[in-house]
Coordinates of all heavy atoms in Angstrom, one line a residue:
M241 N 101.7 94.2 94.8 CA 101.3 95.0 95.8 C 102.3 95.0 96.9 O 102.9 93.9 97.2 CB 99.9 94.5 96.3 CG 99.4 95.3 97.5 SD 97.8 94.6 98.2 CE 96.9 94.2 96.8
Y242 N 102.6 96.2 97.5 CA 103.6 96.3 98.6 C 103.0 97.1 99.7 O 102.2 98.0 99.5 CB 104.9 96.9 98.1 CG 105.5 96.2 97.0 CD1 105.3 96.5 95.7 CD2 106.4 95.1 97.3 CE1 106.0 95.8 94.6 CE2 107.1 94.5 96.3 CZ 106.8 94.8 94.9 OH 107.5 94.1 93.9
R243 N 103.4 96.9 100.9 CA 103.1 97.7 102.1 C 104.3 98.1 102.8 O 105.2 97.2 103.1 CB 102.1 97.0 103.0 CG 101.8 97.9 104.2 CD 100.6 97.4 105.0 NE 99.3 97.4 104.4 CZ 98.6 98.5 104.2 NH1 99.0 99.7 104.5 NH2 97.4 98.4 103.6
Q244 N 104.4 99.3 103.2 CA 105.5 99.8 104.0 C 104.9 100.7 105.0 O 104.6 101.9 104.7 CB 106.6 100.5 103.2 CG 107.8 100.8 104.0 CD 108.9 101.5 103.3 OE1 108.7 102.7 102.9 NE2 110.0 100.9 103.0
G245 N 104.7 100.2 106.2 CA 104.1 101.1 107.3 C 102.7 101.5 106.9 O 101.8 100.6 106.6
D246 N 102.4 102.8 106.8 CA 101.1 103.3 106.5 C 100.9 103.5 105.0 O 99.9 104.0 104.6 CB 100.8 104.6 107.2 CG 101.8 105.7 106.9 OD1 102.9 105.4 106.5 OD2 101.5 106.9 107.1
L247 N 101.8 103.0 104.2 CA 101.7 103.2 102.7 C 101.4 101.8 102.1 O 101.9 100.8 102.4 CB 103.0 103.6 102.1 CG 103.5 105.0 102.3 CD1 104.7 105.4 101.4 CD2 102.4 106.1 102.1
L248 N 100.5 101.8 101.1 CA 100.1 100.7 100.3 C 100.5 101.1 98.9 O 100.0 102.1 98.4 CB 98.7 100.3 100.4 CG 98.2 99.1 99.6 CD1 98.9 97.9 100.0 CD2 96.7 99.0 99.6
I249 N 101.3 100.3 98.2 CA 101.7 100.6 96.8 C 101.1 99.5 95.9 O 101.4 98.3 96.1 CB 103.3 100.5 96.7 CG1 103.9 101.3 97.8 CG2 103.7 100.9 95.3 CD1 103.8 102.8 97.8
V250 N 100.3 99.9 95.0 CA 99.6 98.9 94.1 C 99.8 99.3 92.6 O 100.0 100.5 92.3 CB 98.1 98.8 94.3 CG1 97.8 98.2 95.7 CG2 97.4 100.1 94.2
R251 N 99.9 98.4 91.7 CA 100.1 98.6 90.3 C 99.0 99.5 89.8 O 97.8 99.4 90.2 CB 100.1 97.3 89.5 CG 101.3 96.5 89.6 CD 102.2 96.7 88.4 NE 103.4 96.0 88.6 CZ 104.1 95.5 87.6 NH1 103.8 95.7 86.4 NH2 105.2 94.9 87.9
A252 N 99.3 100.4 88.8 CA 98.3 101.3 88.3 C 98.7 101.6 86.8 O 99.7 101.2 86.3 CB 98.4 102.6 89.1
E253 N 97.8 102.4 86.2 CA 98.0 102.9 84.9 C 98.6 104.3 85.0 O 98.3 105.0 85.9 CB 96.6 102.9 84.1 CG 96.0 101.6 83.9 CD 96.8 100.7 83.0 OE1 97.3 101.2 82.0 OE2 96.9 99.5 83.3
R254 N 99.3 104.6 83.9 CA 99.9 106.0 83.9 C 98.8 107.0 83.7 O 98.0 106.8 82.8 CB 100.9 106.1 82.7 CG 101.7 107.4 82.7 CD 102.7 107.4 81.5 NE 103.7 106.4 81.7 CZ 104.8 106.6 82.4 NH1 105.1 107.8 82.9 NH2 105.7 105.7 82.6
P255 N 98.8 108.0 84.6 CA 97.8 109.1 84.4 C 97.8 109.8 83.0 O 98.9 109.8 82.4 CB 98.1 110.1 85.5 CG 98.8 109.3 86.5 CD 99.6 108.3 85.7
D256 N 96.7 110.3 82.6 CA 96.7 111.0 81.3 C 97.3 112.3 81.3 O 97.6 112.9 80.2 CB 95.2 111.1 80.8 CG 94.6 109.8 80.5 OD1 95.3 108.8 80.2 OD2 93.4 109.7 80.7
R257 N 97.6 112.9 82.4 CA 98.2 114.2 82.5 C 99.7 114.2 82.8 O 100.2 113.1 83.1 CB 97.5 115.1 83.6 CG 97.5 114.4 84.9 CD 96.6 115.2 85.9 NE 96.5 114.5 87.1 CZ 97.3 114.6 88.2 NH1 98.3 115.4 88.1 NH2 97.1 113.9 89.3
Q258 N 100.3 115.3 82.7 CA 101.8 115.4 82.9 C 102.1 115.2 84.4 O 101.2 115.7 85.2 CB 102.3 116.7 82.4 CG 102.3 116.9 80.9 CD 103.2 115.9 80.3 OE1 104.3 115.6 80.7 NE2 102.7 115.2 79.2
P259 N 103.2 114.6 84.8 CA 103.5 114.5 86.2 C 103.8 115.9 86.8 O 104.2 116.8 86.1 CB 104.8 113.6 86.2 CG 105.4 113.8 84.9 CD 104.2 114.0 83.9
N260 N 103.7 116.0 88.1 CA 104.0 117.2 88.9 C 105.5 117.4 89.0 O 106.0 118.5 89.1 CB 103.4 117.2 90.3 CG 101.8 117.1 90.2 OD1 101.3 116.0 90.4 ND2 101.2 118.2 90.0
A261 N 106.2 116.3 89.0 CA 107.7 116.4 89.2 C 108.3 115.1 88.6 O 107.8 114.1 88.6 CB 108.0 116.5 90.7
V262 N 109.6 115.3 88.2 CA 110.4 114.2 87.7 C 111.8 114.4 88.3 O 112.3 115.4 88.2 CB 110.5 114.1 86.2 CG1 111.4 112.9 85.8 CG2 109.1 113.9 85.6
S263 N 112.3 113.3 89.0 CA 113.6 113.5 89.7 C 114.1 112.0 89.9 O 113.5 111.1 89.5 CB 113.5 114.2 91.0 OG 112.7 113.4 91.9
G264 N 115.2 112.0 90.6 CA 115.8 110.7 90.9 C 115.4 110.2 92.3 O 115.5 109.0 92.6
D265 N 114.8 111.1 93.1 CA 114.4 110.7 94.4 C 113.0 111.4 94.7 O 112.8 112.5 94.2 CB 115.3 111.1 95.5 CG 116.7 110.4 95.5 OD1 116.7 109.2 95.2 OD2 117.7 111.1 95.6
A266 N 112.2 110.7 95.5 CA 110.9 111.3 95.8 C 110.5 110.9 97.2 O 110.6 109.7 97.6 CB 109.8 110.9 94.8
V267 N 110.0 111.8 98.0 CA 109.5 111.5 99.3 C 108.0 111.3 99.1 O 107.3 112.1 98.6 CB 109.7 112.7 100.3 CG1 108.9 112.4 101.6 CG2 111.2 112.9 100.5
L268 N 107.6 110.0 99.4 CA 106.2 109.6 99.2 C 105.3 110.0 100.3 O 104.1 110.3 100.2 CB 106.1 108.1 99.0 CG 106.9 107.6 97.8 CD1 106.6 106.1 97.6 CD2 106.7 108.4 96.5
A269 N 105.9 110.1 101.6 CA 105.1 110.5 102.7 C 106.1 110.8 103.9 O 107.1 110.1 104.0 CB 104.1 109.4 103.2
F270 N 105.8 111.8 104.7 CA 106.6 112.1 105.8 C 105.9 111.5 107.0 O 104.6 111.4 107.1 CB 106.6 113.6 106.1 CG 107.6 114.3 105.2 CD1 107.1 115.0 104.1 CD2 108.9 114.2 105.3 CE1 107.9 115.7 103.2 CE2 109.8 114.9 104.5 CZ 109.3 115.6 103.4
G271 N 106.6 111.0 108.0 CA 106.1 110.4 109.2 C 105.8 111.6 110.2 O 106.7 112.2 110.6
E272 N 104.6 111.8 110.5 CA 104.2 112.9 111.4 C 104.7 112.7 112.8 O 105.1 113.5 113.5 CB 102.7 113.2 111.4 CG 102.1 113.6 110.0 CD 101.8 112.4 109.1 OE1 102.0 111.3 109.5 OE2 101.3 112.7 108.0
A273 N 104.6 111.4 113.2 CA 105.0 111.1 114.6 C 106.5 111.1 114.8 O 107.0 111.5 115.9 CB 104.4 109.7 115.0
T274 N 107.3 110.5 113.9 CA 108.7 110.4 114.0 C 109.5 111.4 113.2 O 110.7 111.6 113.5 CB 109.1 109.0 113.6 OG1 108.9 108.8 112.2 CG2 108.4 107.9 114.4
G275 N 109.0 112.0 112.2 CA 109.7 112.8 111.3 C 110.5 112.1 110.2 O 111.1 112.6 109.3
H276 N 110.4 110.7 110.2 CA 111.0 109.9 109.2 C 110.2 109.9 107.9 O 109.0 110.2 108.0 CB 111.1 108.4 109.7 CG 112.0 108.3 110.9 ND1 111.8 107.3 111.8 CD2 113.1 108.9 111.3 CE1 112.7 107.4 112.7 NE2 113.5 108.4 112.4
A277 N 110.8 109.7 106.8 CA 110.1 109.7 105.5 C 110.2 108.4 104.8 O 111.2 107.7 104.9 CB 110.7 110.9 104.7
H278 N 109.1 108.2 104.0 CA 109.2 107.0 103.0 C 109.8 107.6 101.8 O 109.2 108.5 101.1 CB 107.8 106.6 102.7 CG 107.1 106.0 103.9 ND1 107.2 104.7 104.3 CD2 106.2 106.6 104.8 CE1 106.4 104.4 105.4 NE2 105.9 105.6 105.7
T279 N 111.0 107.2 101.4 CA 111.7 107.9 100.3 C 111.9 106.8 99.2 O 112.4 105.7 99.5 CB 113.1 108.4 100.8 OG1 112.9 109.3 101.8 CG2 113.8 109.1 99.6
L280 N 111.6 107.2 98.0 CA 111.8 106.3 96.8 C 113.0 106.9 96.0 O 113.0 108.0 95.6 CB 110.6 106.3 95.9 CG 110.7 105.5 94.7 CD1 110.9 104.0 95.0 CD2 109.5 105.7 93.8
S281 N 114.0 106.0 95.8 CA 115.2 106.4 95.0 C 115.2 105.5 93.7 O 115.0 104.3 93.8 CB 116.5 106.2 95.7 OG 116.5 107.0 96.9
A282 N 115.4 106.1 92.6 CA 115.5 105.4 91.3 C 116.2 106.3 90.3 O 116.3 107.5 90.6 CB 114.1 105.1 90.8
P283 N 116.7 105.8 89.2 CA 117.3 106.6 88.2 C 116.3 107.8 87.7 O 116.8 108.9 87.5 CB 117.6 105.7 87.0 CG 117.7 104.3 87.7 CD 116.8 104.3 88.8
E284 N 115.0 107.5 87.7 CA 114.0 108.5 87.4 C 112.7 108.1 88.0 O 112.2 107.0 87.9 CB 113.9 108.6 85.9 CG 112.9 109.8 85.5 CD 112.9 110.0 84.0 OE1 113.9 110.2 83.4 OE2 111.8 109.8 83.5
V285 N 112.1 109.1 88.7 CA 110.8 108.9 89.3 C 109.9 110.0 88.9 O 110.2 111.2 89.1 CB 110.9 108.9 90.9 CG1 109.5 108.8 91.5 CG2 111.8 107.9 91.4
A286 N 108.7 109.7 88.2 CA 107.7 110.7 87.9 C 106.7 110.7 89.0 O 106.2 109.6 89.4 CB 107.1 110.4 86.6
V287 N 106.2 111.8 89.5 CA 105.3 111.9 90.6 C 104.1 112.7 90.2 O 104.2 113.8 89.6 CB 105.9 112.6 91.8 CG1 105.0 112.8 92.9 CG2 107.2 111.8 92.3
W288 N 102.9 112.1 90.4 CA 101.6 112.8 90.2 C 101.0 113.0 91.6 O 100.9 112.0 92.4 CB 100.7 112.0 89.4 CG 101.1 111.9 88.0 CD1 100.6 112.7 86.9 CD2 102.0 111.0 87.3 NE1 101.2 112.3 85.7 CE2 102.0 111.2 86.0 CE3 102.7 109.9 87.8 CZ2 102.8 110.5 85.1 CZ3 103.5 109.2 86.9 CH2 103.5 109.5 85.6
R289 N 100.6 114.2 91.9 CA 99.9 114.5 93.2 C 98.5 114.6 93.1 O 98.0 115.0 92.0 CB 100.5 115.8 93.8 CG 102.0 115.6 94.1 CD 102.5 116.9 94.9 NE 103.9 116.7 95.2 CZ 104.4 116.0 96.2 NH1 103.6 115.4 97.0 NH2 105.7 116.0 96.3
G290 N 97.7 114.2 94.1 CA 96.3 114.3 94.1 C 95.9 115.7 94.5 O 96.7 116.6 94.7
E291 N 94.6 115.9 94.5 CA 94.1 117.3 94.8 C 94.4 117.7 96.2 O 94.5 118.9 96.5 CB 92.5 117.3 94.7 CG 92.1 117.2 93.2 CD 90.6 117.2 93.1 OE1 89.9 117.6 94.1 OE2 90.1 116.9 92.0
D292 N 94.7 116.8 97.1 CA 95.1 117.1 98.5 C 96.5 117.4 98.6 O 97.1 117.6 99.7 CB 94.7 116.0 99.5 CG 95.3 114.6 99.1 OD1 96.1 114.5 98.1 OD2 95.0 113.7 99.9
G293 N 97.3 117.3 97.5 CA 98.7 117.6 97.6 C 99.6 116.3 97.9 O 100.8 116.4 97.8
Q294 N 99.0 115.2 98.3 CA 99.7 114.0 98.6 C 100.1 113.3 97.3 O 99.5 113.4 96.3 CB 98.8 113.1 99.4 CG 98.4 113.7 100.8 CD 99.5 113.8 101.7 OE1 100.4 113.1 101.8 NE2 99.4 114.9 102.5
V295 N 101.2 112.5 97.4 CA 101.6 111.8 96.3 C 100.6 110.7 96.0 O 100.1 110.0 96.9 CB 103.0 111.1 96.5 CG1 103.4 110.1 95.4 CG2 104.1 112.1 96.7
A296 N 100.1 110.7 94.7 CA 99.0 109.7 94.4 C 99.5 108.6 93.5 O 99.1 107.5 93.6 CB 97.9 110.5 93.7
T297 N 100.4 108.9 92.5 CA 100.8 107.9 91.5 C 102.3 108.2 91.3 O 102.7 109.4 91.3 CB 100.1 108.1 90.2 OG1 98.7 107.9 90.5 CG2 100.5 106.9 89.3
I298 N 103.1 107.2 91.1 CA 104.5 107.3 90.7 C 104.8 106.4 89.6 O 104.2 105.3 89.4 CB 105.4 106.9 91.9 CG1 105.1 105.5 92.4 CG2 105.4 108.0 93.0 CD1 106.1 105.1 93.5
A299 N 105.7 106.8 88.7 CA 106.2 105.9 87.7 C 107.7 105.8 87.9 O 108.4 106.8 88.1 CB 106.0 106.5 86.3
V300 N 108.2 104.6 87.8 CA 109.6 104.3 88.2 C 110.4 103.9 86.9 O 109.9 102.9 86.2 CB 109.8 103.2 89.3 CG1 111.2 102.9 89.6 CG2 109.0 103.7 90.5
R301 N 111.5 104.5 86.6 CA 112.4 104.0 85.5 C 113.6 103.5 86.2 O 114.2 104.1 86.9 CB 112.7 105.2 84.6 CG 113.7 104.7 83.5 CD 113.8 105.6 82.4 NE 112.5 105.7 81.7 CZ 112.2 106.7 80.9 NH1 113.0 107.7 80.6 NH2 111.0 106.6 80.3
G302 N 113.9 102.2 85.9 CA 115.0 101.5 86.6 C 114.4 101.0 87.9 O 113.3 101.2 88.2
D303 N 115.2 100.3 88.6 CA 114.8 99.8 89.9 C 114.5 100.9 90.9 O 115.3 101.8 91.0 CB 115.8 98.8 90.6 CG 115.9 97.5 89.9 OD1 114.9 97.0 89.3 OD2 117.0 96.8 89.9
G304 N 113.4 100.8 91.6 CA 113.0 101.8 92.6 C 113.3 101.2 93.9 O 112.8 100.1 94.2
V305 N 113.9 101.9 94.8 CA 114.2 101.4 96.2 C 113.5 102.3 97.2 O 113.8 103.5 97.3 CB 115.7 101.4 96.5 CG1 116.0 100.9 97.9 CG2 116.5 100.6 95.4
L306 N 112.5 101.7 97.9 CA 111.7 102.5 98.8 C 112.2 102.2 100.2 O 112.3 101.0 100.6 CB 110.2 102.0 98.7 CG 109.2 102.7 99.6 CD1 109.2 104.2 99.4 CD2 107.8 102.1 99.4
T307 N 112.6 103.2 100.9 CA 113.2 103.1 102.2 C 112.5 103.9 103.3 O 111.9 104.9 103.0 CB 114.7 103.5 102.3 OG1 114.8 104.9 101.8 CG2 115.6 102.7 101.3
H308 N 112.6 103.4 104.5 CA 112.1 104.1 105.7 C 112.9 103.5 106.9 O 113.1 102.3 106.9 CB 110.6 103.8 105.9 CG 110.0 104.6 107.0 ND1 110.1 104.2 108.3 CD2 109.2 105.7 107.0 CE1 109.5 105.1 109.1 NE2 108.9 106.0 108.3
P309 N 113.4 104.4 107.8 CA 114.2 103.9 108.9 C 113.6 102.8 109.7 O 114.3 102.0 110.3 CB 114.5 105.1 109.7 CG 114.3 106.3 108.8 CD 113.2 105.8 107.8
E310 N 112.3 102.8 109.8 CA 111.6 101.8 110.7 C 111.0 100.6 110.0 O 110.4 99.8 110.7 CB 110.5 102.5 111.5 CG 111.1 103.6 112.4 CD 110.0 104.4 113.1 OE1 108.9 104.5 112.5 OE2 110.3 105.0 114.2
H311 N 111.2 100.5 108.7 CA 110.5 99.4 107.9 C 111.5 98.8 107.0 O 112.6 99.4 106.6 CB 109.4 100.0 107.1 CG 108.3 100.7 107.9 ND1 107.6 100.0 108.9 CD2 107.9 102.0 108.0 CE1 106.7 100.9 109.4 NE2 106.9 102.1 108.9
A312 N 111.2 97.6 106.5 CA 112.1 96.9 105.6 C 112.1 97.6 104.3 O 111.1 98.3 103.8 CB 111.6 95.5 105.3
T313 N 113.3 97.6 103.6 CA 113.4 98.2 102.2 C 112.6 97.4 101.2 O 112.6 96.2 101.3 CB 114.9 98.3 101.9 OG1 115.6 99.1 102.8 CG2 115.1 98.8 100.5
I314 N 112.0 98.1 100.3 CA 111.3 97.4 99.2 C 111.9 97.8 97.9 O 112.2 99.0 97.7 CB 109.8 97.9 99.2 CG1 109.1 97.4 100.5 CG2 109.1 97.3 98.0 CD1 107.7 97.9 100.7
V315 N 112.1 96.9 97.0 CA 112.6 97.2 95.6 C 111.5 97.0 94.6 O 110.9 95.9 94.5 CB 113.8 96.2 95.2 CG1 114.2 96.6 93.8 CG2 114.9 96.4 96.2
L316 N 111.1 98.1 94.0 CA 110.0 98.1 93.0 C 110.6 97.8 91.7 O 111.7 98.2 91.3 CB 109.3 99.5 92.9 CG 108.7 100.0 94.2 CD1 108.1 101.4 94.0 CD2 107.6 99.0 94.6
P317 N 109.9 96.9 90.8 CA 110.5 96.5 89.5 C 110.6 97.7 88.6 O 109.9 98.7 88.7 CB 109.4 95.6 89.0 CG 108.6 95.2 90.2 CD 108.7 96.3 91.2
P318 N 111.6 97.7 87.7 CA 111.8 98.8 86.7 C 110.6 99.0 85.8 O 109.8 98.0 85.5 CB 113.0 98.4 86.0 CG 113.1 96.9 86.1 CD 112.5 96.6 87.4
E319 N 110.5 100.2 85.3 CA 109.5 100.5 84.3 C 108.0 100.2 84.7 O 107.3 99.6 84.0 CB 109.8 99.8 82.9 CG 111.2 99.9 82.5 CD 111.7 101.4 82.3 OE1 110.9 102.3 81.9 OE2 112.9 101.7 82.7
T320 N 107.7 100.6 85.9 CA 106.4 100.3 86.5 C 105.7 101.6 87.0 O 106.4 102.6 87.3 CB 106.4 99.3 87.6 OG1 107.3 99.7 88.6 CG2 106.8 97.9 87.1
V321 N 104.4 101.6 87.0 CA 103.6 102.7 87.5 C 102.8 102.2 88.7 O 102.2 101.1 88.7 CB 102.6 103.2 86.4 CG1 101.7 104.3 87.0 CG2 103.3 103.7 85.2
W322 N 102.8 103.0 89.8 CA 102.2 102.6 91.1 C 101.3 103.6 91.6 O 101.6 104.8 91.5 CB 103.3 102.3 92.1 CG 104.3 101.3 91.6 CD1 105.4 101.4 91.0 CD2 104.1 99.9 91.8 NE1 106.0 100.3 90.7 CE2 105.3 99.2 91.2 CE3 103.2 99.0 92.4 CZ2 105.4 97.9 91.2 CZ3 103.3 97.7 92.4 CH2 104.5 97.1 91.8
R323 N 100.2 103.2 92.2 CA 99.3 104.1 93.0 C 99.8 104.0 94.4 O 100.1 103.0 95.0 CB 97.9 103.6 92.9 CG 96.9 104.4 93.6 CD 96.2 105.4 92.7 NE 95.1 106.0 93.4 CZ 95.1 107.2 93.8 NH1 96.1 108.0 93.5 NH2 94.1 107.7 94.4
V324 N 99.9 105.2 95.1 CA 100.4 105.3 96.5 C 99.2 105.6 97.3 O 98.6 106.7 97.2 CB 101.5 106.4 96.6 CG1 101.9 106.5 98.1 CG2 102.7 106.1 95.7
L325 N 98.8 104.7 98.2 CA 97.7 105.0 99.1 C 98.1 105.0 100.6 O 99.0 104.2 101.0 CB 96.7 103.8 99.0 CG 96.2 103.6 97.5 CD1 95.5 102.2 97.4 CD2 95.3 104.7 97.1
R326 N 97.7 106.0 101.3 CA 98.0 106.1 102.7 C 96.9 105.6 103.6 O 95.7 105.9 103.3 CB 98.3 107.6 103.0 CG 99.6 108.1 102.4 CD 100.1 109.3 102.9 NE 100.4 109.3 104.3 CZ 100.4 110.4 105.1 NH1 100.3 111.6 104.5 NH2 100.6 110.3 106.4
Q327 N 97.2 104.9 104.6 CA 96.2 104.3 105.5 C 95.6 105.5 106.3 O 96.3 106.4 106.7 CB 96.9 103.3 106.4 CG 95.9 102.6 107.3 CD 96.6 101.5 108.1 OE1 97.8 101.2 107.9 NE2 95.9 101.0 109.1
R328 N 94.3 105.4 106.4 CA 93.6 106.4 107.2 C 92.9 105.7 108.4 O 92.7 104.5 108.4 CB 92.5 107.0 106.3 CG 93.0 107.8 105.2 CD 91.9 108.2 104.3 NE 92.4 108.8 103.0 CZ 92.4 110.1 102.7 NH1 91.9 110.9 103.6 NH2 92.9 110.5 101.6
E329 N 92.6 106.5 109.4 CA 91.9 106.0 110.6 C 90.7 106.9 110.9 O 90.8 108.1 110.5 CB 92.8 105.8 111.7 CG 93.5 107.1 112.2 CD 94.5 106.9 113.3 OE1 94.6 105.7 113.8 OE2 95.2 107.8 113.7
H330 N 89.7 106.4 111.6 CA 88.6 107.2 111.9 C 89.0 108.0 113.2 O 89.6 107.6 114.1 CB 87.4 106.4 112.2 CG 86.2 107.2 112.6 ND1 85.5 107.9 111.7 CD2 85.6 107.4 113.8 CE1 84.5 108.6 112.3 NE2 84.5 108.3 113.6
A331 N 88.6 109.3 113.2 CA 88.7 110.2 114.3 C 87.5 111.0 114.4 O 86.7 111.1 113.5 CB 89.9 111.1 114.1
P332 N 87.2 111.7 115.5 CA 86.0 112.4 115.7 C 85.8 113.5 114.6 O 84.7 113.8 114.2 CB 86.2 113.1 117.1 CG 87.1 112.2 117.8 CD 88.0 111.6 116.8
E333 N 86.9 114.0 114.1 CA 86.8 115.1 113.0 C 86.6 114.5 111.6 O 86.5 115.2 110.7 CB 87.9 116.0 113.1 CG 89.3 115.4 112.8 CD 90.0 114.8 114.1 OE1 89.3 114.7 115.1 OE2 91.1 114.5 113.9
G334 N 86.6 113.1 111.5 CA 86.5 112.4 110.3 C 87.7 111.6 110.0 O 88.6 111.4 110.9
A335 N 87.8 111.1 108.8 CA 89.0 110.2 108.4 C 90.3 111.1 108.3 O 90.3 112.2 107.7 CB 88.7 109.5 107.1
V336 N 91.3 110.6 109.0 CA 92.6 111.3 109.0 C 93.7 110.2 108.6 O 93.5 109.0 108.8 CB 92.9 111.9 110.4 CG1 92.0 113.0 110.7 CG2 93.0 110.9 111.5
F337 N 94.8 110.7 108.1 CA 95.9 109.8 107.7 C 96.5 109.2 109.0 O 96.6 109.9 110.0 CB 97.0 110.5 107.0 CG 96.7 110.9 105.6 CD1 96.7 112.3 105.2 CD2 96.3 110.0 104.7 CE1 96.3 112.6 103.9 CE2 96.0 110.3 103.4 CZ 96.0 111.6 103.0
L338 N 96.8 107.9 109.0 CA 97.4 107.3 110.1 C 98.8 107.9 110.3 O 99.5 108.3 109.4 CB 97.7 105.8 109.8 CG 98.2 104.9 110.9 CD1 97.1 104.8 112.0 CD2 98.5 103.5 110.3
R339 N 99.1 108.1 111.6 CA 100.4 108.8 111.9 C 101.5 107.7 112.1 O 101.4 106.8 112.9 CB 100.3 109.6 113.3 CG 99.4 110.7 113.1 CD 99.1 111.4 114.4 NE 100.4 111.9 115.0 CZ 100.8 113.2 114.9 NH1 100.2 114.0 114.2 NH2 102.0 113.5 115.4
D340 N 102.5 107.7 111.2 CA 103.5 106.7 111.1 C 104.8 107.3 111.8 O 105.1 108.4 111.6 CB 103.8 106.3 109.7 CG 104.8 105.2 109.6 OD1 105.0 104.5 110.6 OD2 105.4 105.0 108.5

């Protein structure tokens, strides 16, 4: 399990459906307050998005390096699948994503 700012990364099973995208880099979340992004770089990253369009699950081939200008770099082990959870906070209009 890893945490980087408002992201929580936990081990997961590979989804039964095809990924939405496969590439060498993936933006897991944009920082609404600063414009900075949580970016994952690896030889290959498969991305599955949830119904809300947010990154929900990632599969990493090779070492994955998760970076953000305001947080420590995290190295994800190779050949792993991860669930990406964004921290939420209560607001009068309901639960909203934490602004990082």
Side-chain angles (χ1 to χ4, degrees):
M241 179 183 318
Y242 300 94
R243 177 168 296 283
Q244 188 184 67
D246 60 336
L247 292 188
L248 178 65
I249 313 291
V250 295
R251 284 259 179 153
E253 298 294 321
R254 185 178 296 272
D256 292 333
R257 57 189 172 86
Q258 293 295 315
N260 299 100
V262 177
S263 67
D265 294 318
V267 174
L268 303 187
F270 287 102
E272 296 87 358
T274 63
H276 298 146
H278 297 271
T279 304
L280 178 65
S281 296
E284 185 175 298
V285 179
V287 176
W288 290 264
R289 295 188 181 279
E291 291 180 13
D292 60 359
Q294 300 291 324
V295 172
T297 306
I298 55 173
V300 179
R301 178 166 293 164
D303 286 334
V305 179
L306 182 59
T307 59
H308 185 283
E310 297 173 332
H311 303 295
T313 297
I314 296 171
V315 178
L316 299 176
E319 310 305 321
T320 52
V321 179
W322 302 93
R323 180 96 170 109
V324 179
L325 303 166
R326 291 195 56 201
Q327 186 174 348
R328 297 173 188 251
E329 62 185 355
H330 181 72
E333 63 274 11
V336 295
F337 290 120
L338 187 68
R339 294 175 60 97
D340 186 21

